[in-house]
Amino acid sequence: MTQQGISRRGVLAASIGAAVAPAAAHAQAAFPARNFRVVVPTGQGGGADRLARSFDDAWTKFLGKPFEYEFFPGASGQVGYELYTGRREADGYNLLFGNMGPEMIMYALQKPRFKFPEDLVYFCRIDVDDSCVFVRKDSPFRRIEDVVAEAKRRPLNTATSRIPHPASIGVLALGEATGSRFNLIPYAGGSPTLVAVMSGEADIGVLPIAGVVAQQDRLRVLGVFNRENILAAKTENAPPINAVFGTSIPDLSSSRSWAIHARAIERYPDRYKLLEETSVKAHADVAFRDAYLKTGAPIESLRHGDRATCTEYALAMIELANRYAQQLTARRG
């Protein structure tokens, strides 16, 4: 009887185990079972919005579920980041699409209520967008030397999307190195910054180059904060600023990236693995390239980066922000 009872219990346990195992496997394989929610820490209609939507044209194809967007501009990205890390569930369905350069500068200067990389992980860089100095097409400034010469006589009103930004660091470093003066005016986004320069409200502007090139019939790039201008053919051979003045300003670029809660990676490694693998496929997919080209941005800016590449870049931006903290904080407000 005892042996028979044990045997029956053993058979029952085995049957239950056999039933549970496939069910558990199915539950794991079911991800994603609902739409993804994305926090964008800038305004709707800007560069981050357009790039994210271009990317999810392809990503949705691999994941099988679409993306829903929420926009939380404010405090140079701090509002969106704190809302994401503090009030969105770490389940793999909630993502953030950010601009690592300016937002890590924000992180260094404004000391928000989250920790990087303890709370947030960037895992899919979309692009590398070099910072530049630009003017309206009919500006009297024809060369970057003209800008610096005039800025030695008077402060030039300089439009920027936000004070904590690689492009802002670039023009402040240029002023420091050449004895020229630039009055930074933040316009809360790339599109308003472009308009300020087009209208003549600002003397010059500083932004990532892709958005400027998309308006090349109305704007002209005068110089880039990089050792090489990869868009020379589309910017009338605008020179690297260091090459013109013999300065040693560091390379300054923006890079948009998808991010996820660090806790989500710990809790749901299989979900994260799927997101990571499909994001690589989406970046290489023709649907993304076609959608990106329709925005008018240059295809040369598209460069995928994995988690390690993103983390290295983000930490370098934090270090750079700390180096220029005095200049940046003196011009905030």
Side-chain angles (χ1 to χ4, degrees), residues 51 53 66 145 212:
L51 184 54
R53 292 184 192 276
E145 294 96 317
V212 181

Side-chain angles (χ1 to χ4, degrees), residues 180-205:
S180 49
R181 294 172 293 166
F182 300 97
N183 177 35
L184 283 176
I185 304 173
Y187 280 88
S191 295
T193 303
L194 295 171
V195 171
V197 176
M198 291 176 189
S199 68
E201 183 177 332
D203 296 306
I204 65 170

Side-chain angles (χ1 to χ4, degrees), residues 29 33 37 44 53 57 105 109-110 119 132 134 161 169 180 191 209 225 231 247 282 288 295 312 327 331:
R37 297 178 65 194
Q44 188 170 5
R53 292 184 192 276
D57 284 354
I105 295 172
L109 298 179
Q110 297 174 197
D119 296 330
C132 71
F134 66 97
S161 60
I169 289 177
S180 49
S191 295
I209 197 170
F225 292 108
L231 297 176
T247 48
F288 168 48
T295 69
E312 181 182 9
Q327 296 93 321
R331 289 165 174 81

Side-chain angles (χ1 to χ4, degrees), residues 16-231:
I16 293 173
V20 169
H26 176 74
Q28 187 68 25
F31 177 83
R34 61 179 189 270
N35 294 354
F36 294 93
R37 297 178 65 194
V38 182
V39 167
V40 182
T42 51
Q44 188 170 5
D49 182 8
R50 292 191 297 273
L51 184 54
R53 292 184 192 276
S54 298
F55 190 80
D56 79 38
D57 284 354
W59 208 2
T60 296
K61 179 171 65 175
F62 294 107
L63 288 170
K65 295 293 179 181
F67 294 75
E68 300 171 359
Y69 292 89
E70 300 174 286
F71 300 87
F72 298 95
S76 299
Q78 183 174 350
V79 171
Y81 274 77
E82 290 191 345
L83 182 142
Y84 176 75
T85 54
R87 297 174 59 184
R88 291 292 180 266
E89 187 177 354
D91 58 1
Y93 285 97
N94 287 288
L95 304 173
L96 180 142
F97 188 75
N99 193 338
M100 293 187 289
E103 286 151 18
M104 285 296 97
I105 295 172
M106 171 276 293
Y107 174 80
L109 298 179
Q110 297 174 197
K111 315 299 182 190
R113 291 190 299 257
F114 70 93
K115 298 297 181 184
F116 179 83
E118 293 87 346
D119 296 330
L120 182 87
V121 172
Y122 296 110
F123 67 93
C124 176
R125 184 187 71 188
I126 302 298
D127 66 343
V128 176
D129 202 352
D130 295 332
S131 297
C132 71
V133 177
F134 66 97
V135 295
R136 66 184 186 276
K137 202 74 170 180
D138 62 350
S139 170
F141 303 129
R142 309 302 298 178
R143 306 176 305 154
I144 190 64
E145 294 96 317
D146 300 334
V147 169
V148 168
E150 183 64 17
K152 288 181 178 179
R153 288 190 285 269
R154 66 177 177 92
L156 293 184
N157 287 334
T158 303
T160 185
S161 60
R162 38 186 156 173
I163 298 295
H165 196 286
S168 300
I169 289 177
V171 78
L172 293 176
L174 176 62
E176 189 176 67
T178 61
S180 49
R181 294 172 293 166
F182 300 97
N183 177 35
L184 283 176
I185 304 173
Y187 280 88
S191 295
T193 303
L194 295 171
V195 171
V197 176
M198 291 176 189
S199 68
E201 183 177 332
D203 296 306
I204 65 170
V206 289
L207 275 179
I209 197 170
V212 181
V213 168
Q215 298 288 338
Q216 58 185 314
D217 57 329
R218 304 170 70 183
L219 297 169
R220 187 169 67 255
V221 175
L222 297 184
V224 297
F225 292 108
N226 198 292
R227 69 196 71 186
E228 177 188 5
N229 181 4
I230 63 170
L231 297 176

